[in-house]
Amino acid sequence: MSSRAVKLTGWGRISPSWAELTEPASAADAAALLRDGAARGVIARGLGRSYNDAAQCDGGVVASTARLNRIIELDAAGGRVTCQAGVSLEQLMVAGLPAGWFVPVSPAPGR
Ligand SMILES: Cc1cc2nc3c(=O)[nH]c(=O)nc-3n(C[C@H](O)[C@H](O)[C@H](O)COP(=O)(O)OP(=O)(O)OC[C@H]3O[C@@H](n4cnc5c(N)ncnc54)[C@H](O)[C@@H]3O)c2cc1C
């Protein structure tokens, strides 16, 4: 799986660090990445919007979930969704709203 060196931060854009960024496109890719990269350390990264738990892994491997963005099943009657790890809140809302569902927690500006 290809990777590239990138400088990463969290949402606050402080304390940047370098890591090898990879973008697994399947569960099998992600499993292989965890197995092969274990010695260096591998963490997942979503949209990089966390205030505190920034997905950086200085000197290690960061697995972006950007390509794991498929909604597998939406139970419109029960409001349960099965999806891959990189599905965004926007995707969930677009998929769920027509059936009357909204995510229970959504990001909002602080006071
Ligand atoms: C303007 C703003 C407003 C916000 N308001 C709210 C709010 O009202 N309520 C609220 O709850 N939050 C709020 N947040 C926080 C925000 O919702 C979360 O920090 C963000 O959704 C985390 O998702 P991410 O994909 O950006 O995670 P990242 O920043 O990419 O990662 C955060 C952490 O999760 C880990 N991680 C990411 N993906 C996975 C995965 N698939 N498996 C395992 N670990 C993973 C990373 O390794 C890292 O440790 C707000 C953020 C912003 C910027």
Side-chain angles (χ1 to χ4, degrees):
M1 198 180 320
S2 67
S3 67
R4 62 185 195 282
V6 292
K7 190 160 77 171
L8 297 170
T9 68
W11 182 73
R13 298 190 178 174
I14 57 169
S15 305
S17 63
W18 287 87
E20 286 294 316
L21 184 75
T22 63
E23 296 185 332
S26 67
D29 277 358
L33 182 63
L34 290 174
R35 190 179 55 241
D36 300 342
R40 292 178 64 190
V42 182
I43 61 166
R45 182 179 177 94
L47 292 176
R49 301 291 197 271
S50 175
Y51 296 141
N52 299 313
D53 301 316
Q56 295 182 221
C57 202
D58 188 10
V61 178
V62 172
S64 166
T65 56
R67 296 171 71 191
L68 297 168
N69 62 354
R70 202 162 55 85
I71 293 177
I72 296 163
E73 185 182 353
L74 172 67
D75 169 11
R80 182 178 294 269
V81 66
T82 305
C83 63
Q84 293 184 316
V87 166
S88 68
L89 294 176
E90 180 184 15
Q91 281 178 274
L92 287 179
M93 291 175 204
V94 168
L97 270 175
W101 297 105
F102 194 82
V103 294
V105 176
S106 62
R111 291 181 193 174

